[in-house]
């Protein structure tokens, strides 16, 4: 186990920000993780997964632990379902592909989401009507300060929209080392309600889709809609979709009758942040080496050598403008570091 000083984090974050880590350590075994935590738990630590949900606005004055624990195994199964344990450093999409190859269903709608398995519970990743919590059984995590091991059940994890206990009460206290998911082997429950998925299946003449067909449809949709971080630095949706009250929504609708919405309950309406940002005139705007993506207003991008600080200032300008125009606060989904 080697600790490297003054390491560039540019290859390890999908925004491609050239921030430096005071020191960096690749963690590929649980033994290494426990040993490094024993020595350094009282020093500043920073946990890194796939780097696809963070904007680095400064150098990291800490020891960066890059969680690269690998392994996937079936730990139990019945005729109809299976519980799979995946180690935290497995790439999420590679895991989805592995499940599809074994015909295990439940996460096909989450195809092509970047990042690692160990991070998936932190913001309860979700897309096209499915969230991690729908298949989550438990995860194992090591407490940073005393290296004790704890298993978190679905109830413990307290999942919400892009939320969990790991982003709230237990922020920066635990390192997730593995995740157990329950997936179907037969009678897969398919989620094709999203219009775009339906349209993509129809366009290919698929009337009785398999989980593999749904994954393919999701991949095609995502590839046309979202910029590939390998080509343009980004962190996916930069902001969460705001949820407002019925009263706030009727005021908004009065001024903007074309506002799209999604009813969550009688007094909770979700409004697409991308629509608000586009309406505020930011879609496709470029400032030097950074800007708002031309096809997807929710995605902020680094065209080359932008700094995290520049992108953060743009995010703040967008938040202020949306607040002024619509009286709605939009929160960042990306972790600002
Ligand atoms: C193009 C693109 C599209 C995206 N689309 C979606 C989408 O559709 N839906 C969605 O939900 N998200 C989406 N995302 C966001 C991102 O993929 C997810 O949030 C993903 O789970 C982040 O994983 P990561 O390993 O890259 O996390 P990182 O960015 O490495 O880390 C995120 C946070 O978790 C902490 N952390 C990392 N690993 C651990 C660990 N093992 N234990 C404890 N803490 C840890 C870090 O300190 C940091 O605070 C997208 C991102 C991109 C770039």
């Amino acid at each position: 186990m080697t600790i490297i000083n003054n390491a560039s984090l540019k290859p390890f974050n999908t925004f491609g920000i050239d921030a430096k880590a005071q020191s960096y350590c690749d963690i590929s075994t649980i033994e290494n993780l426990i040993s490094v935590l024993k020595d350094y738990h009282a020093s500043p630590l920073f946990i890194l997964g796939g780097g696809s949900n963070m904007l680095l606005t400064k150098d990291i004055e800490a020891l960066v632990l890059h969680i690269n624990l690998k392994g996937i195994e079936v730990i139990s199964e019945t005729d109809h379902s299976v519980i799979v344990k995946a180690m935290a450093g497995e790439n999420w999409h590679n895991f989805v592909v592995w499940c599809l190859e074994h015909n295990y269903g439940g996460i096909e709608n989450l195809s092509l989401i970047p990042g690692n398995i160990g991070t998936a519970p932190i913001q309860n990743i979700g897309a096209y009507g499915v969230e991690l919590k729908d298949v989550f059984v438990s995860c194992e995590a090591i407490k940073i300060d005393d290296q004790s091991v704890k298993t978190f059940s679905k109830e413990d994890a307290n999942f919400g929209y892009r939320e969990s206990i790991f982003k709230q009460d237990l922020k920066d206290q635990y390192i997730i080392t593995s995740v157990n998911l329950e997936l179907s082997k037969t009678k897969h429950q398919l989620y094709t309600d999203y219009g775009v998925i339906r349209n993509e299946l129809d366009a290919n003449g698929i009337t009785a889709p398999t989980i593999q067909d749904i994954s393919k449809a999701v991949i095609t949709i995502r590839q046309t809609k979202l910029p590939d971080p390998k080509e343009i630095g980004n962190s996916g949706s930069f902001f969460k979709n705001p949820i407002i009250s019925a009263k706030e929504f009727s005021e908004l609708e009065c001024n903007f009758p074309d506002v799209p919405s999604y009813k969550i309950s009688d007094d909770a309406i979700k409004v697409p942040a991308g629509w608000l940002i586009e309406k505020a005139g930011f879609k496709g705007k470029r400032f030097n080496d950074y800007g708002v993506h031309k096809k997807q207003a929710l995605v902020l991008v680094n065209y080359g050598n932008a700094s995290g600080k520049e992108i953060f200032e743009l995010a703040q300008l967008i938040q202020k403008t949306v607040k002024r125009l619509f009286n709605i606060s939009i929160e960042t989904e990306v972790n600002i570091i």
Side-chain angles (χ1 to χ4, degrees), residues 47-213:
I47 314 305
L48 177 65
S52 68
N53 198 21
M54 54 176 62
L55 176 65
L56 302 172
T57 61
K58 54 182 186 300
D59 289 341
I60 307 291
E61 300 298 329
L63 168 59
V64 172
L65 300 182
H66 196 181
I67 307 301
N68 277 315
L69 304 165
K70 300 286 186 202
I72 301 174
E73 63 174 318
V74 170
I75 53 168
S76 71
E77 63 186 308
T78 65
D79 288 347
H80 303 296
S81 70
V82 62
I83 295 184
V84 182
K85 173 179 178 173
M87 298 304 287
E90 289 288 344
N91 172 271
W92 173 262
H93 180 67
N94 291 348
F95 175 68
V96 175
V97 171
W98 182 91
C99 291
L100 292 168
E101 282 167 2
H102 290 76
N103 203 33
Y104 298 154
I107 52 174
E108 51 284 353
N109 292 47
L110 305 180
S111 298
L112 217 60
I113 296 184
N116 292 352
I117 288 265
T119 330
I122 293 178
Q123 74 152 3
N124 180 27
I125 59 167
Y128 304 108
V130 173
E131 290 181 319
L132 183 85
K133 73 169 170 49
D134 302 331
V135 292
F136 181 91
V137 176
S138 62
C139 68
E140 206 160 87
I142 296 184
K143 193 155 194 254
I144 290 177
D145 62 4
D146 64 5
Q147 300 89 55
S148 57
V149 177
K150 180 169 160 77
T151 301
F152 289 87
S153 67
K154 193 193 273 198
E155 289 66 39
D156 297 333
N158 201 16
F159 290 121
Y161 165 55
R162 300 295 179 273
E163 281 300 343
S164 74
I165 193 147
F166 303 106
K167 270 181 97 171
Q168 304 290 345
D169 298 1
L170 298 183
K171 189 169 164 49
D172 298 330
Q173 291 187 38
Y174 282 88
I175 298 177
I176 297 176
T177 51
S178 67
V179 179
N180 290 353
L181 303 180
E182 182 169 14
L183 303 165
S184 54
K185 284 168 66 178
T186 57
K187 295 188 188 146
H188 302 301
Q189 195 172 349
L190 305 179
Y191 295 92
T192 55
D193 288 354
Y194 264 72
V196 276
I197 297 190
R198 203 53 286 153
N199 295 345
E200 183 59 30
L201 294 170
D202 288 348
N204 289 295
I206 298 167
T207 48
T210 61
I211 52 174
Q212 290 78 6
D213 293 328

Side-chain angles (χ1 to χ4, degrees), residues 263-278:
K263 188 172 170 184
I264 293 177
S265 69
D266 282 347
D267 198 30
I269 290 138
K270 199 188 261 185
V271 176
W275 185 88
L276 299 169
I277 297 167
E278 182 172 351

